[in-house]
């Protein structure tokens, strides 16, 4: 009947609006609105015509048990409209053949990221969101303490955070957080005044200045030293500072000293003191151990509730994020401008630092292998570094990029 055609047109219009941009738009475009209006007008005209015809010569109906639909317009038009637009809730309410059911999609995807290398890979996607009106809503945080309560309270959906924080939040929320991807490998570097250190064994007897005591920098350094036969407590002297700037100041006054600095701060230090040299990449030293894991700085996590409710939106984000990471790594100068635009660091520093920040987007089994091994290393040194327990397999979101 024409009324059924109107009903089918409504659902088709709704489907087209929700699917035309791969579920990445916040609002309906003007073009889509015009299309819907045309379809609705056509359906209403057909319905009105049939009502007039029915008053003079009766009406036909589609016969069926629970799915019969009369051509005549019900007396309570508002109730009818509500009924027609409701999503099916049972087999009896399922749409007739040819109708397309609504697609579940969030109005927006709220994404937070900690400022620094963890956020750099997002910058092209942030730029695209502004120019293409994608559904993402980004927030750059300057401290980890800003992020944790936001995800626990359900005020954000996806976060780029220090890798161990994902495990801590997973334990704290009893499985309420999943990890989607590893987004930053090791960014720790050993620097010195001169060129006396070429390998880990050369550190014996040295003083190492670093910040991050009781956190992942300490655990990573201790692990690499120990695996190379150097006792962190007796073979070297580690002086812990509260800030990276203090490490640089101490290094500048100690010709034999070594400082452990993260990117992009190591690049900033070199720009301020031409005598500072980066001598050891701890990411490479970790890989030399061939333990099946990796030195990991950052990961992408999400609320489990959001992942289960909107899996298509999660997969679309990962696809968009991978494209953004590829752009940042392959278009460094342009990406550096975006890094400055979004307040992460200035473009001159970013252009030198990006190639050393090991920005990646690793998912699926590879993510699970690398991250679980890293979390186990942290757990062995301090269980509280991962929230008291290494997360179960359900923590790792199973997504593989097509092809």
């Amino acid at each position: 009947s024409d009324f059924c055609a109107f009903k089918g047109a409504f659902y088709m219009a709704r489907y087209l609006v929700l699917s035309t941009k791969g579920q990445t738009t916040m609002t309906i475009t003007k073009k889509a609105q015009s299309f819907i209006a045309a379809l609705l007008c056509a359906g209403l005209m057909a319905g009105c015509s049939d009502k007039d015809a029915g008053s003079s010569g009766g009406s036909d109906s589609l016969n069926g048990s629970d799915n019969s639909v009369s051509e005549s317009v019900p007396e309570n038009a508002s109730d009818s409209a509500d009924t027609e637009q409701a999503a099916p809730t049972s087999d009896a309410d399922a749409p007739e053949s040819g109708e397309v059911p609504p697609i579940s999609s969030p109005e927006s995807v709220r994404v937070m990221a900690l400022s620094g290398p963890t956020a750099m890979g997002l910058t092209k996607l942030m730029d695209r969101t502004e120019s293409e009106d994608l559904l993402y809503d980004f927030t750059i945080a300057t401290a980890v303490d800003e992020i944790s309560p936001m995800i626990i309270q359900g005020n954000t959906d996806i976060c780029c955070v220090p890798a161990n924080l994902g495990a801590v939040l997973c334990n704290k929320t009893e499985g309420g957080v999943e990890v989607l991807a590893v987004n930053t490998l090791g960014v720790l570097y050993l620097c010195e005044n001169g060129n006396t250190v070429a390998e880990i064994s050369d550190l014996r007897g040295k003083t190492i200045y670093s910040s991050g005591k009781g956190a992942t920098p300490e655990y990573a350094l201790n692990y690499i030293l120990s695996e190379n036969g150097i006792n962190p407590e007796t073979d070297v002297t580690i002086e812990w500072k509260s800030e990276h700037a203090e490490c640089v100041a101490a290094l500048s006054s100690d010709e034999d000293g070594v400082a452990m600095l993260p990117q992009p701060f190591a690049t900033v230090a070199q720009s301020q003191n031409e005598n500072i040299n980066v001598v050891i990449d701890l990411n490479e030293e970790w890989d030399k151990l061939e333990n099946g894991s990796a030195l990991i700085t950052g990961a992408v996590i999400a609320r489990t509730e959001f992942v289960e409710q909107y899996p298509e939106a999660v997969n679309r984000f990962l696809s968009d994020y991978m494209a953004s990471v590829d752009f940042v790594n392959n278009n460094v100068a342009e990406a550096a401008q975006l890094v400055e635009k979004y307040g992460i660091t200035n473009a001159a520093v970013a252009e030198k630092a990006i190639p050393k920040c090991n920005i990646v987007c690793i998912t699926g089994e590879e993510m699970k292998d690398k991250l679980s091994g890293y979390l186990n290393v942290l757990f062995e040194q301090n269980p509280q570094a991962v929230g008291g327990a290494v997360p179960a397999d359900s923590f790792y979101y199973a997504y593989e990029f097509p092809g």
Side-chain angles (χ1 to χ4, degrees):
S1 69
D2 289 328
F3 187 75
C4 289
F6 160 66
K7 185 179 176 185
F10 175 84
Y11 279 114
M12 181 60 71
R14 189 174 180 186
Y15 171 77
L16 288 171
V17 170
L18 290 171
S19 62
T20 49
K21 282 196 173 185
Q23 301 181 39
T24 58
T25 57
M26 294 178 62
T27 58
I28 300 174
T29 62
K30 292 182 180 179
K31 189 174 291 184
Q33 289 174 333
S34 300
F35 180 72
I36 293 173
L39 286 175
L40 291 176
C41 289
L44 289 171
M45 291 175 66
C48 291
S49 174
D50 288 345
K51 183 178 180 182
D52 293 340
S55 65
S56 61
S59 64
D60 296 327
S61 63
L62 294 177
N63 294 322
S65 57
D66 294 329
N67 291 327
S68 60
V69 180
S70 172
E71 284 187 45
S72 60
V73 178
E75 292 181 5
N76 192 335
S78 62
D79 289 347
S80 174
D82 290 341
T83 301
E84 296 299 335
Q85 295 182 42
T89 57
S90 67
D91 291 341
D93 295 328
E96 297 182 42
S97 177
E99 296 179 3
V100 181
I103 297 174
S104 177
S105 176
E107 292 183 0
S108 67
V109 178
R110 301 165 297 176
V111 183
M112 290 191 75
L114 182 64
S115 184
T118 308
M120 288 181 179
L122 277 175
T123 52
K124 181 58 178 177
L125 182 54
M126 294 170 72
D127 185 58
R128 281 186 57 209
T129 297
E130 290 183 4
S131 62
E132 300 176 28
D133 193 26
L134 303 184
L135 59 69
Y136 305 114
D137 180 11
F138 292 98
T139 301
I140 301 296
T142 57
V144 172
D145 292 345
E146 298 176 40
I147 296 177
S148 297
M150 292 291 284
I151 199 163
I152 291 173
Q153 296 167 13
N155 294 324
T156 190
D157 304 312
I158 296 174
C159 298
C160 299
V161 298
N164 69 311
L165 180 60
V168 170
L169 291 173
C170 178
N171 284 312
K172 189 169 186 177
T173 60
E174 298 181 346
V177 169
E178 294 182 26
V179 60
L180 307 181
V182 167
N183 75 347
T184 319
L185 297 177
V187 297
L188 294 172
Y189 292 81
L190 295 181
C191 308
E192 68 164 338
N193 281 317
N195 291 288
T196 63
V197 176
E199 54 189 27
I200 295 295
S201 60
D202 294 332
L203 294 173
R204 196 180 301 273
K206 294 277 190 180
T207 296
I208 302 174
Y209 303 101
S210 179
S211 63
K213 182 172 177 57
T216 52
E218 178 183 11
Y219 308 140
L221 179 60
N222 286 348
Y223 177 70
I224 290 174
L225 290 173
S226 298
E227 291 297 305
N228 282 273
I230 297 178
N231 188 320
E233 296 182 358
T234 60
D235 294 335
V236 294
T237 300
I238 303 176
E239 288 194 15
W240 297 102
K241 305 294 184 180
S242 60
E243 297 179 357
H244 303 315
E246 293 180 25
C247 299
V248 175
L251 179 61
S252 298
S253 61
D254 183 355
E255 293 184 357
D256 277 338
V258 175
M260 183 170 73
L261 300 172
Q263 290 292 353
F265 200 85
T267 297
V268 173
Q270 286 185 292
S271 68
Q272 296 173 347
N273 185 340
E274 60 182 14
N275 294 321
I276 293 179
N277 295 312
V278 173
V279 291
I280 291 180
D281 178 350
L282 292 190
N283 194 66
E284 293 180 356
E285 296 301 323
W286 189 292
D287 289 344
K288 289 178 183 179
L289 301 176
E290 298 182 346
N291 59 12
S293 68
L295 177 56
I296 298 173
T297 298
V300 183
I301 62 173
R303 291 186 298 110
T304 300
E305 181 182 7
F306 181 83
V307 172
E308 292 176 347
Q309 187 173 4
Y310 302 114
E312 297 91 352
V314 171
N315 292 345
R316 172 58 63 125
F317 168 79
L318 286 172
S319 179
D320 288 342
Y321 183 60
M322 170 60 89
S324 183
V325 167
D326 285 344
F327 178 89
V328 169
N329 286 328
N330 294 315
N331 302 272
V332 174
E334 189 173 347
Q337 296 298 322
L338 295 176
V339 168
E340 179 172 291
K341 174 182 177 181
Y342 294 110
I344 298 171
T345 191
N346 71 66
V349 169
E351 188 167 353
K352 294 179 180 178
I354 286 173
K356 302 173 184 177
C357 285
N358 298 308
I359 300 168
V360 296
C361 183
I362 301 173
T363 63
E365 285 299 315
E366 184 181 1
M367 168 192 70
K368 181 180 177 183
D369 290 343
K370 291 181 181 298
L371 182 56
S372 62
Y374 174 69
L375 294 177
N376 272 300
V377 169
L378 299 184
F379 177 80
E380 289 171 2
Q381 295 193 53
N382 181 0
Q384 293 309 309
V386 296
V390 175
D393 289 350
S394 57
F395 173 59
Y396 303 92
Y397 183 65
Y399 178 80
E400 300 287 352
F401 285 104

